[in-house]
Structures are given as structure tokens and as C-alpha cells.
Amino acid sequence: MKMKDWSNPWKNPIVILWYMLLVVVLLVHIYLVSVAIITFPGLTIKDYYEKGKDMGKIIAQREKMKQMAWQIDINLPLLTQNKPQHYTILVKDKYGQPFNVDSAVLYYYRPSNKAYDGQSVLKPTGQVGEYEGEINLPLKGKYDFVLELKRGEDLFQVGRTMMVQENPDSHMKTTPSTGDK
């Protein structure tokens, strides 16, 4: 019986198998990185450093909002894709008394694609502190909402994440809704 000479590692099947495995792992990683770069929706803000420098202002604004203690009653229906929906809000002070604000805007953000972001400007209903708006979201799934209220120099923001239900009557219209931009 003749013994194999393993002095040349490239003739050893175990060494060849390990190198092939290494090449496969590297190719898979290269593929995954390229897919991540190609499909990146660009949701990071361009001026992140400047925004970070304003963190002290943001914290101070949150403290001011806690002290103002405005109460917001939001009458929002179950959100359904491609269906215009009417909603109302009632703004109250910390004592529960309704009051008017200078402006009220509902911003909505689609985390997976900024092309579907938008806003809805609320209009007064005629009742003290009550505002109404309409919203039509084109896709089902997760949306982030920020309600921004301004009165003079005071700014109050409330944010929530909500799911939009599928509309069985919809034919999946996927053009971005511009809202009241």
C-alpha cells in the first residue's frame, strides 16, 4: 500500500474544502452588502451632526411640553389603505379646558420608503379647540405619525406608530400620497 504525500496542501481535499467554504462565505457577504447598498432607502438625515448639536434644545423642549401638559383627544378611525378618512382632534390645557392653537399639522412617515411621507393640515371646525383633517394612506403597514401644534412661541408634539389595514376593495395603488404638502 502506497502512502499519499500530503506535503503539498493543495492536493489535500480537506484544505481544498476549507478554501472553497471560505470563498463561498466571502461571496455571500459581498452579495448581501451590495444588496443592502442598492436597496437603501436613504432614511438617514443628511445633517445628523447639526441635529445632534441641538440635543440640548430638544431636551429643553420636551421639558417645556411636560410643563404645558396639553391634552390631545384624537378621534382617528381604524386606518385603511387607499381610503380617505376624516379625523378630528380636541386640544385642551392642563386643566381640561379646550383652547385654540395657531396651527395643527399631522405628519406621517413610512419608515420603509420616504416617498410615502406626507402631512395633513388640520382646519378649525368652529368649536373651541377642535380641528379636523383628512388622510389617505396608499399602502398598508407601519406608519409613524407626529401631531404638531403651535400657539405663539409654544410648540407641542405627540408621536405614535400605527398600522394601516389592507383595503379589500383596493387595487393596490402605490403612487405616493402628497397630502397637503
Side-chain angles (χ1 to χ4, degrees):
M1 177 183 280
K2 189 175 176 186
M3 295 281 293
K4 291 225 175 201
D5 179 22
W6 298 113
S7 61
N8 184 353
W10 290 110
K11 291 185 177 181
N12 188 333
I14 294 174
V15 172
I16 294 172
L17 181 68
W18 276 108
Y19 276 103
M20 286 175 50
L21 182 64
L22 178 67
V23 168
V24 168
V25 168
L26 286 174
L27 289 174
V28 167
H29 280 85
I30 290 170
Y31 170 75
L32 291 175
V33 167
S34 65
V35 166
I37 290 171
I38 291 169
T39 61
F40 177 64
L43 295 178
T44 55
I45 56 176
K46 302 233 183 280
D47 59 343
Y48 61 90
Y49 180 74
E50 295 300 320
K51 297 278 185 187
K53 289 192 324 188
D54 292 338
M55 195 56 160
K57 292 178 187 175
I58 293 169
I59 293 171
Q61 177 63 33
R62 286 186 183 165
E63 287 301 316
K64 184 177 179 184
M65 287 183 352
K66 282 182 188 177
Q67 291 172 359
M68 290 189 305
W70 291 0
Q71 302 168 32
I72 315 297
D73 295 337
I74 302 174
N75 182 8
L76 189 65
L78 180 65
L79 296 173
T80 306
Q81 82 177 94
N82 286 331
K83 181 179 177 187
Q85 295 173 289
H86 183 264
Y87 64 97
T88 60
I89 67 163
L90 181 62
V91 183
K92 301 177 191 173
D93 63 14
K94 62 182 166 185
Y95 305 110
Q97 299 301 314
F99 68 93
N100 289 328
V101 294
D102 298 333
S103 70
V105 180
L106 178 68
Y107 297 98
Y108 52 92
Y109 305 97
R110 176 82 174 172
S112 63
N113 189 340
K114 66 182 178 180
Y116 294 99
D117 296 352
Q119 66 184 27
S120 171
V121 177
L122 288 89
K123 296 173 179 64
T125 63
Q127 303 285 341
V128 175
E130 190 174 64
Y131 298 85
E132 65 183 351
E134 192 167 291
I135 192 166
N136 185 6
L137 302 169
L139 296 177
K140 69 177 183 172
K142 182 179 173 182
Y143 281 84
D144 294 327
F145 294 88
V146 176
L147 178 63
E148 181 178 277
L149 305 170
K150 291 181 185 175
R151 183 176 73 170
E153 295 294 316
D154 294 334
L155 173 68
F156 195 85
Q157 295 176 322
V158 178
R160 295 285 181 271
T161 297
M162 290 189 258
M163 294 296 289
V164 174
Q165 305 298 317
E166 181 176 11
N167 185 348
D169 300 330
S170 175
H171 294 350
M172 195 59 185
K173 181 174 78 175
T174 58
T175 56
S177 172
T178 57
D180 293 330
K181 284 188 177 176

